[in-house]
Amino acid sequence: MNKTILYLWFLLQFIIAGTITAQDNLSALLPMPLKAEQRDGRSFELNNVGEIECQMSDSLFIINELTNIVKYRTDIELPVKGGNKIIIKEESSALPESYKIDISKKRITIEGSRSGIYYALKTFDQILLGDVTNTTNGKVAQIYIEDAPRYTHRAVMLDPARHFLPIEDIKFFIDQIAKYKYNILQLHLTDDQGWRIEIKSHPALTNIGAFRNPNGGNKGPDNGYYTQKQLKELVNYAAARNIEIIPELDIPGHSVAILAAYPHLGCSFRQNEKKEVGHTTNMMICAHSEEAYCVYEDIIREVAQIFPSKFIHLGGDEAAVNENWAKCDDCKAMMKKAGYAKPSDLMNIFFGRMLDIVHKNNKKAILWCELDNMWPPANNYLFPYPKDVTLVTWRNALTPKCIELTRINGHNLIMAPGEHTYLDYPQWHNDLPEFNNWGMPITTIEQTYKLDPSYNLPAEEQQHIQGVMATMWAEAIKDINRVNYMFFPRGLAIAEAGWSIMQQRSWEGFKKRLMPNLNDLMRSGVSFRVPFEISPRR
Ligand code: TNX
């Protein structure tokens, strides 16, 4: 009798342990991998790891990441002693960013491309984060994961033009987004409110353009710029974490900072107007200004040398054509000569020349997809963007049209639809940002999660979609804590939209997997917003 009870007790323990680990191993995986399964059998013991075998070009960095993860989660300093082994193998034939993790009783094998291995470590970290019972005992359940991203372009855009972010804060942010397998950071470096990048051939750009508040010092939030040296270092810092930095210089609108430094690059009829960084608005670079093309020749050359990315983003959004080119005699004459019907058609010439400069520097351009200013009405339009331009869809409600037109005209497209990815929009009623003077709609985390970057289109109509971008516009976001408050946790929903296939995604699953990650973000000192509205108890 006693024996039977004892047997049943053991059986019960076994079942409980089994169900707990079965749930827990996946409970913090975010974004959800392509394939993740738990196997039966005894756990791998980190306390018995005698060897880490790693042959890669940057083994030191990778081993350091791994040992830091294990120390942070379990307090164990690897390697210890014993027969267990961790093997990390870089596979030249593996698809970019793909990886496999195979955890058995005595061996953990991690394989993949360099970037894949980096992501494998991030996934391994989340396995330890989620499997609390095992982790506190220095154990890892037997798990097999095969993973690869749905999209190649998984971006976050930061906007230090509106409010300057010190380099150290950007590094902190990079560390956080790397956990969720973002691979691109777009920096919006110029706008009406500031010019944030040192250009050695034109120092006035920063001497004047980087200072919105002349009495405010040079550490932000209104003032400040990055030196080329700092940016090169940032590029390397990001690259080690598989993040590519894409610079954005916004032209021909959003350009008061450069016009404050060089007023003659604007249309001549506005020459006598005072141009104050961040105070004057609606000004544009003149399509007729030869000097503007010359100055941008220098700027783009220097920018191309700082950032190894093949892309430079040149903005192209919200150009106030009617207040500038439409009233400018030089532009009107240009229009007439080219046989154009409307001043916005001058974008063809303007971007034609700017893109020549981009190409000369062996780069490709990205532009915001503008259907208002650059879109001739009705059916008989010529889509005005040169073919090799990648476009970003953003305006609320215009995304379906953007997807269709970019497909028909052979452009690559990145998805940043305002309805889901505009993270400057408030997350809840009466929540931040307190400065919401353009009446931005509430964008809840659930609304953000609803993004399917393919817009559920048939396969043949979405081949040109390259990925997603979360945009963190910062007119009202003054420092990194505010950035983090607006970005987290919604940025995790967009990370999953960019990485995971739809079959692996579900709102209910995401909410559960979010909780341990919020706990972890708190431990990392990230000032995220508590999404109280999705609590099961409310
Ligand atoms: C529109 S999105 C803009 C930005 C603003 C943002 C505010 C885009 C290409 N242009 O300049 O910061 O709205 O939500």
Side-chain angles (χ1 to χ4, degrees):
M1 179 66 182
N2 270 351
K3 262 190 176 173
T4 322
I5 290 174
L6 208 62
Y7 171 75
L8 285 175
W9 188 82
F10 272 119
L11 189 69
L12 192 67
Q13 291 302 309
F14 187 72
I15 291 169
I16 290 172
T19 41
I20 288 173
T21 47
Q23 282 173 353
D24 282 353
N25 286 312
L26 307 183
S27 72
L29 298 187
L30 201 165
M32 196 62 191
L34 203 50
K35 182 172 162 191
E37 59 191 36
Q38 192 193 335
R39 295 178 182 145
D40 295 335
R42 284 185 50 194
S43 300
F44 178 93
E45 299 198 1
L46 287 161
N47 263 320
N48 288 333
V49 173
E51 197 185 339
I52 302 173
E53 190 185 301
C54 177
Q55 278 167 13
M56 306 174 54
S57 44
D58 60 348
S59 297
L60 275 183
F61 178 81
I62 292 292
I63 291 177
N64 198 33
E65 285 279 300
L66 173 67
T67 50
N68 282 345
I69 286 168
V70 172
K71 168 84 179 138
Y72 189 69
R73 297 281 171 222
T74 67
D75 223 20
I76 296 169
E77 298 203 26
L78 293 186
V80 200
K81 56 183 171 3
N84 289 357
K85 220 172 162 183
I86 301 179
I87 302 168
I88 301 177
K89 275 196 246 170
E90 189 173 351
E91 301 264 327
S92 53
S93 58
L95 289 175
E97 308 193 308
S98 71
Y99 67 90
K100 288 181 193 157
I101 304 178
D102 191 346
I103 304 172
S104 61
K105 200 171 83 181
K106 298 216 150 289
R107 193 167 286 233
I108 296 180
T109 312
I110 294 175
E111 288 173 2
S113 60
R114 157 61 177 76
S115 48
I117 286 171
Y118 181 75
Y119 288 146
L121 297 186
K122 296 294 163 193
T123 300
F124 183 66
D125 187 35
Q126 290 180 342
I127 291 171
L128 299 183
L129 169 68
D131 196 355
V132 180
T133 320
N134 264 323
T135 303
T136 43
N137 292 313
K139 293 178 178 173
V140 197
Q142 296 204 21
I143 295 170
Y144 180 72
I145 290 182
E146 258 181 49
D147 203 3
R150 181 180 183 194
Y151 291 104
T152 54
H153 195 108
R154 304 179 306 279
V156 180
M157 191 216 72
L158 287 182
D159 176 14
R162 265 58 179 268
H163 284 106
F164 185 69
L165 294 166
I167 283 278
E168 291 311 312
D169 290 345
I170 296 188
K171 285 185 182 165
F172 180 77
F173 189 75
I174 285 173
D175 289 343
Q176 307 315 317
I177 61 172
K179 290 179 189 168
Y180 303 101
K181 304 188 173 76
Y182 276 105
N183 64 355
I184 287 171
L185 177 65
Q186 179 169 315
L187 291 180
H188 184 76
L189 289 166
T190 73
D191 210 302
D192 295 336
Q193 294 87 343
W195 185 280
R196 307 299 186 194
I197 172 171
E198 176 191 29
I199 301 295
K200 293 188 175 165
S201 53
H202 300 282
L205 286 171
T206 41
N207 288 345
I208 294 173
F211 292 85
R212 173 157 83 239
N213 170 8
N215 304 320
N218 65 356
K219 288 211 157 59
D222 297 338
N223 303 337
Y225 67 92
Y226 309 114
T227 64
Q228 295 196 0
K229 190 164 168 256
Q230 281 177 319
L231 288 170
K232 283 181 186 159
E233 204 228 314
L234 189 70
V235 163
N236 293 337
Y237 186 91
R241 290 150 185 82
N242 197 40
I243 291 181
E244 172 182 318
I245 301 190
I246 296 182
E248 181 190 350
L249 317 166
D250 205 344
I251 51 172
H254 290 272
S255 51
V256 173
I258 183 171
L259 292 175
Y262 299 117
H264 52 289
L265 306 188
C267 293
S268 49
F269 80 98
R270 297 191 74 169
Q271 285 308 301
N272 296 332
E273 271 175 66
K274 195 166 177 207
K275 293 157 190 87
E276 267 185 285
V277 183
H279 296 289
T280 318
T281 50
N282 269 351
M283 292 219 158
M284 282 170 74
I285 293 172
C286 183
H288 184 262
S289 164
E290 274 310 309
E291 198 161 349
Y293 299 111
C294 286
V295 171
Y296 270 93
E297 176 113 35
D298 295 336
I299 294 171
I300 291 171
R301 187 184 60 246
E302 291 194 33
V303 169
Q305 282 163 6
I306 301 168
F307 300 95
S309 169
K310 67 172 189 251
F311 291 116
I312 295 183
H313 195 309
L314 285 184
D317 60 311
E318 299 181 318
V321 173
N322 290 337
E323 286 82 55
N324 295 276
W325 295 356
K327 294 183 184 160
C328 164
D329 288 341
D330 294 331
C331 290
K332 283 194 262 184
M334 235 175 135
M335 233 177 90
K336 205 165 162 203
K337 195 167 159 209
Y340 287 153
K342 351 185 236 33
S344 59
D345 291 345
L346 288 175
M347 289 283 185
N348 286 320
I349 298 180
F350 180 83
F351 274 112
R353 295 200 48 187
M354 291 297 184
L355 294 185
D356 280 349
I357 303 172
V358 170
H359 296 151
K360 236 170 50 190
N361 286 283
N362 295 318
K363 303 283 179 183
K364 292 185 174 196
I366 308 181
L367 294 173
W368 300 108
C369 187
E370 258 312 0
L371 304 187
D372 283 6
N373 288 320
M374 298 180 71
W375 186 289
N379 301 320
N380 62 342
Y381 65 85
L382 266 177
F383 199 55
Y385 295 101
K387 287 271 178 286
D388 80 325
V389 171
T390 296
L391 290 161
V392 187
T393 177
W394 60 282
R395 278 188 192 272
N396 287 348
L398 287 182
T399 287
K401 201 76 196 155
C402 237
I403 299 179
E404 187 196 341
L405 283 170
T406 46
R407 173 177 58 79
I408 294 171
N409 291 282
H411 295 274
N412 282 339
L413 181 65
I414 294 158
M415 304 294 286
E419 292 88 341
H420 303 282
T421 68
Y422 266 45
L423 301 188
D424 57 327
Y425 292 6
Q427 307 178 62
W428 201 248
H429 312 276
N430 300 322
D431 198 10
L432 290 174
E434 56 280 77
F435 168 63
N436 184 10
N437 67 352
W438 53 88
M440 300 177 292
I442 287 168
T443 306
T444 61
I445 182 165
E446 185 170 6
Q447 171 63 15
T448 300
Y449 191 77
K450 279 188 186 141
L451 172 67
D452 167 3
S454 78
Y455 266 50
N456 204 18
L457 287 164
E460 65 279 10
E461 291 179 27
Q462 40 142 313
Q463 297 303 316
H464 61 308
I465 295 175
Q466 305 296 307
V468 295
M469 178 155 68
T471 46
M472 197 62 259
W473 297 106
E475 285 97 325
I477 316 288
K478 293 198 180 180
D479 60 29
I480 194 68
N481 288 335
R482 293 285 169 107
V483 167
N484 287 333
Y485 184 89
M486 300 307 284
F487 185 84
F488 295 102
R490 289 181 299 184
L492 275 58
I494 299 172
E496 183 149 298
W499 182 276
S500 309
I501 57 171
M502 292 309 282
Q503 293 88 317
Q504 291 293 77
R505 295 179 57 193
S506 85
W507 169 237
E508 290 306 318
F510 174 79
K511 277 193 292 186
K512 289 193 187 119
R513 289 177 287 116
L514 183 61
M515 292 304 163
N517 281 287
L518 291 181
N519 194 16
D520 188 49
L521 286 168
M522 183 163 68
R523 197 178 162 205
S524 303
V526 175
S527 53
F528 62 86
R529 173 180 175 276
V530 174
F532 56 82
E533 67 281 3
I534 65 171
S535 161
R537 290 183 178 273
R538 281 178 74 97

